Amino acid sequence: MITQTKRNAIRQRIHDRIRRKLAGTGERPRLNVYRSLNHIYAQVIDDQTGQTLVSASTIKMKTGGNVAAAKEIGKAVAELAVKQGIKKVVFDRGGCQLVQGELKNSTPTRKS
């Protein structure tokens, strides 16, 4: 069985490889989604200035890191991004191997 520390090291290595290939700009910032054991975090980041433009997480929600919470986080980030005039983003899956489950459900609302 793979240990938690090794699993995180593998995820970080994959994330670093992805980040070498993509970057967010002012016109099209990067949407970073991270899923921990208990929570889901989403941020819209402008890599040119190094600023987080929009963020949301399940820490304040009572639902935790399940699929319903992922949909709420996706909707919250999309609404906040539209208020700031952000229409398109570059999706950064944060080193997760597959875009499925909670990660998948946090992303469809970003397109609206």
Side-chain angles (χ1 to χ4, degrees):
M1 185 164 92
I2 191 167
T3 62
Q4 182 64 35
T5 53
K6 184 163 178 142
R7 181 177 295 131
N8 195 37
I10 293 168
R11 185 199 61 78
Q12 187 62 48
R13 188 182 75 231
I14 294 168
H15 181 65
D16 292 341
R17 185 173 62 227
I18 292 168
R19 287 286 292 120
R20 281 194 298 266
K21 297 176 185 177
L22 65 87
T25 63
E27 295 176 2
R28 195 167 176 185
R30 176 170 55 101
L31 171 65
N32 183 5
V33 178
Y34 175 71
R35 181 182 176 273
S36 70
L37 186 62
N38 296 320
H39 295 286
I40 298 172
Y41 308 87
Q43 298 179 21
V44 177
I45 304 164
D46 180 1
D47 288 321
Q48 290 177 337
T49 61
Q51 284 188 309
T52 299
L53 306 173
V54 175
S55 66
S57 70
T58 58
I59 291 176
K60 295 180 182 176
M61 298 172 65
K62 296 191 183 222
T63 56
N66 56 19
V67 175
K71 288 181 182 179
E72 292 294 321
I73 292 300
K75 192 176 288 188
V77 167
E79 289 172 359
L80 292 170
V82 168
K83 283 182 184 176
Q84 290 212 358
I86 301 167
K87 298 193 187 285
K88 291 184 179 182
V89 295
V90 177
F91 181 62
D92 177 9
R93 61 188 170 96
C96 295
Q97 298 268 340
L98 299 171
V99 180
Q100 64 183 12
E102 291 88 3
L103 187 60
K104 178 182 173 186
N105 285 309
S106 70
T107 56
T109 54
R110 77 185 189 284
K111 295 177 184 176
S112 56

